Amino acid sequence: MARQLRQAIHGVFGLLSMLWLCTTIYLFTSVTLPTSSRENSSKKKILSDDESRTQDTSSGETTIVNNQVNLTGIYFPALDENGNPGYMHNATTLHNNPPVFDTSGIQCGVNDATMQLLTQRVYVDLAAHERTNKLVLEGGGKPRAKIFCHIYTTQKQRPRIQSIRETWGNRCDGFHAASTITDRSIDSVNIPHEGKEEYNNMWQKVRAMWSYVYVNYFDSYDWFHIGGDDMYVLVENLRLYLESEEIETASNGGDQPLLLGQIFYQHGNRSATYVTGGGGYTLNKAALKMLVGTFPNCAPHDVNSGEDLLVTQCLKKEGIEPYWTTDETGAERYDHVSPEVEFNFDSKKNPLFWYSYYTGNENIGPQRVVKRAVSFHLFQSKPTVENMMRRVHAILYGHCANVTLGPPVPTKQWSDGKFLGRYWKSPKLQCELSAKVDEICICSMVKRGRNEVQVCKKHANNTSHQMQ
């Protein structure tokens, strides 16, 4: 009798063990294998068909199954106003409900380089934009390219966020500002990232931003544009460019990853190109997917302000070079500097100034920029970036009509290299400024970490050095 009782008890335990094992397998497949048709209430399915991808809003873990890319530790769920993880911003809110553009205090009557470039050279091609819209509505054209725009910023720069919302931000199909707090009233989202919230850690912030966009918005948009809170984007021109036959051919119908922006030569090295983030840069879906796939192994824990350089390097490791976005004359579409700088600049007068050897653009003044420009970088604008943002917008969109322009503003000469203060000074120029009469500067590219930097040293002015 006792023996039969023990057998019965063992049978019950065996059955319970089997039930426990089956339950464990079920839960495991439900949580870590997002191809399952079962979806836990804390998960939101992002993609189906060719790729399975899920967001676990409770833990922050995201797994891309088909190519074994795990974004754990890279993708962080956004935090809501109360600091709770799992917030997903409605990126269409700004586009569908644009705020009123505040024109008070805009300096329309000032005849300066900004006014002249934006009235005599650069324009927003609203006519082509409206023609294309009409063609699509009548069923005679492809759907318009859907563009998602996001900026990196902090709550401290709330006035800049508001100026972007009133000007160019609402013209993007989707928009948010990756900030230090979530504030739905200004479309700001708190996206956590590895390390400190500081300029020198911009790479980690941008990695988290791109991961968040990939997980939450990949299906809804065709192109993704990123930049800082001092960037101005001419969205209609950007859309027309992305829809052009040139870009359609270059992207092979969307299959070829494209990284678009202004290309810089790192320290003047013509073999070391990268896309600068000043005027922002643009990825198509294929490039975004590839970029996020590199994150686990491409500079995963680097603390670096040069996010644009590292994004370029990560894509280069996958065989994707930056796409040249200049026109046939060498004029730029994406601009790392402001309208004032471009209008005033002549590289031949400033051969040692950093912008001359970083761009290689030898055009003079207004000819340095295409007429249907895509973006500008308004850093160090006076009196403030947000005021200049509104002024640029007012000029481009006809809020500064009937302005009488004075004589052309002459180009400047910045041969002393001091125009941008502490930013981007030429190593060669700095060496030559401190060299004695009998000394010359010999420069070479030196490997430092993952990057090559230009190093210049003073030598006695003798024949042996001159022949090197």
Side-chain angles (χ1 to χ4, degrees):
M1 183 70 177
R3 181 179 180 183
Q4 291 175 341
L5 181 60
R6 284 195 299 271
Q7 288 178 342
I9 292 172
H10 288 163
V12 171
F13 275 109
L15 180 60
L16 290 174
S17 298
M18 287 295 294
L19 288 172
W20 176 84
L21 179 61
C22 291
T23 302
T24 302
I25 292 173
Y26 173 82
L27 291 174
F28 179 80
T29 55
S30 296
V31 173
T32 62
L33 297 179
T35 52
S36 170
S37 61
R38 299 177 293 273
E39 292 186 356
N40 187 277
S41 61
S42 69
K43 287 178 172 286
K44 177 175 181 180
K45 190 166 183 182
I46 308 298
L47 280 187
S48 56
D49 301 329
D50 65 329
E51 180 178 25
S52 296
R53 183 177 50 196
T54 58
Q55 171 188 349
D56 186 334
T57 58
S58 61
S59 69
E61 295 186 359
T62 300
T63 304
I64 304 172
V65 171
N66 70 330
N67 55 7
Q68 301 302 308
V69 177
N70 192 327
L71 293 182
T72 303
I74 302 170
Y75 170 77
F76 296 90
L79 307 180
D80 67 13
E81 295 90 338
N82 300 314
N84 300 313
Y87 174 70
M88 180 177 172
H89 181 65
N90 182 352
T92 63
T93 300
L94 180 60
H95 181 72
N96 294 333
N97 302 280
V100 175
F101 175 49
D102 181 8
T103 60
S104 61
I106 294 175
Q107 295 178 311
C108 286
V110 178
N111 177 50
D112 58 6
T114 298
M115 177 65 75
Q116 295 207 8
L117 184 71
L118 300 183
T119 54
Q120 299 183 12
R121 176 70 174 176
V122 173
Y123 71 102
V124 179
D125 198 344
L126 293 174
H129 173 71
E130 294 301 331
R131 282 197 305 271
T132 309
N133 278 345
K134 183 178 179 181
L135 187 63
V136 173
L137 289 174
E138 294 173 350
K142 295 181 180 179
R144 301 301 306 268
K146 296 192 70 176
I147 304 171
F148 182 90
C149 304
H150 55 145
I151 61 168
Y152 38 83
T153 186
T154 64
Q155 176 60 12
K156 179 182 177 181
Q157 301 298 348
R158 182 186 178 95
R160 293 187 183 183
I161 302 173
Q162 187 59 34
S163 68
I164 290 172
R165 294 180 72 253
E166 291 180 19
T167 57
W168 64 265
N170 62 75
R171 295 168 186 270
C172 302
D173 300 284
F175 174 86
H176 73 221
S179 185
T180 47
I181 70 167
T182 291
D183 185 344
R184 300 174 202 233
S185 69
I186 58 170
D187 301 283
S188 70
V189 184
N190 184 0
I191 304 174
H193 56 80
E194 179 180 313
K196 296 180 180 180
E197 180 69 41
E198 60 183 15
Y199 178 76
N200 289 335
N201 197 36
M202 188 62 69
W203 167 236
Q204 294 299 332
K205 185 180 182 79
V206 167
R207 287 172 81 238
M209 288 172 63
W210 278 126
S211 299
Y212 182 80
V213 168
Y214 177 68
V215 169
N216 291 293
Y217 306 119
F218 182 85
D219 280 350
S220 301
Y221 302 93
D222 305 305
W223 296 88
F224 305 86
H225 186 83
I226 189 173
D229 55 23
D230 52 4
M231 166 184 68
Y232 183 90
V233 183
L234 293 76
V235 179
E236 289 86 354
N237 290 355
L238 173 61
R239 197 186 313 274
L240 290 167
Y241 179 57
L242 299 177
E243 294 169 343
S244 67
E245 183 179 354
E246 175 192 349
I247 297 302
E248 179 69 19
T249 301
S251 66
N252 191 26
D255 294 334
Q256 174 65 28
L258 283 185
L259 169 61
L260 308 176
Q262 182 178 8
I263 293 181
F264 270 4
Y265 300 118
Q266 188 180 3
H267 304 296
N269 183 355
R270 295 300 175 102
S271 64
T273 57
Y274 71 98
V275 167
T276 174
Y281 54 91
T282 313
L283 304 178
N284 64 356
K285 292 169 81 85
L288 174 56
K289 180 177 179 180
M290 180 174 287
L291 175 64
V292 172
T294 70
F295 283 165
N297 301 308
C298 187
H301 305 293
D302 281 26
V303 177
N304 198 317
S305 62
E307 58 85 16
D308 46 5
L309 176 62
L310 288 172
V311 163
T312 305
Q313 290 179 345
C314 290
L315 287 173
K316 279 187 173 185
K317 289 181 179 179
E318 301 299 319
I320 304 303
E321 294 287 331
Y323 183 84
W324 284 93
T325 57
T326 53
D327 71 3
E328 63 277 3
T329 70
E332 304 285 358
R333 286 188 169 86
Y334 296 74
D335 253 285
H336 182 85
V337 294
S338 67
E340 177 189 7
V341 175
E342 287 292 30
F343 186 89
N344 281 323
F345 199 74
D346 181 352
S347 61
K348 295 181 178 64
K349 291 182 179 179
N350 303 273
L352 297 179
F353 188 62
W354 74 269
Y355 197 44
S356 298
Y357 65 89
Y358 263 73
T359 67
N361 184 345
E362 296 184 353
N363 295 1
I364 300 174
Q367 306 304 316
R368 297 177 60 81
V369 188
V370 300
K371 294 181 179 180
R372 293 202 317 197
V374 162
S375 64
F376 290 101
H377 189 195
L378 305 182
F379 69 135
Q380 295 193 327
S381 294
K382 304 295 183 183
T384 65
V385 168
E386 53 268 26
N387 286 348
M388 181 58 72
M389 191 88 63
R390 288 189 168 92
R391 181 169 185 243
V392 166
H393 189 78
I395 296 170
L396 288 171
Y397 287 89
H399 297 280
C400 286
N402 302 318
V403 175
T404 301
L405 295 177
V409 179
T411 58
K412 293 182 180 179
Q413 183 171 356
W414 294 310
S415 57
D416 62 357
K418 295 178 181 178
F419 170 67
L420 294 180
R422 63 185 178 86
Y423 294 96
W424 300 98
K425 292 182 179 178
S426 160
K428 183 177 180 182
L429 176 60
Q430 300 308 304
C431 178
E432 290 177 344
L433 288 174
S434 62
K436 298 178 182 178
V437 176
D438 58 347
E439 290 179 328
I440 61 171
C441 292
I442 305 296
C443 301
S444 61
M445 301 304 295
V446 177
K447 189 77 172 179
R448 287 185 179 171
R450 290 184 174 87
N451 305 323
E452 281 192 342
V453 298
Q454 187 180 46
V455 176
C456 299
K457 296 182 179 180
K458 288 173 281 190
H459 298 274
N461 190 3
N462 55 45
T463 306
S464 62
H465 279 117
Q466 289 177 0
M467 294 179 64
Q468 289 184 1

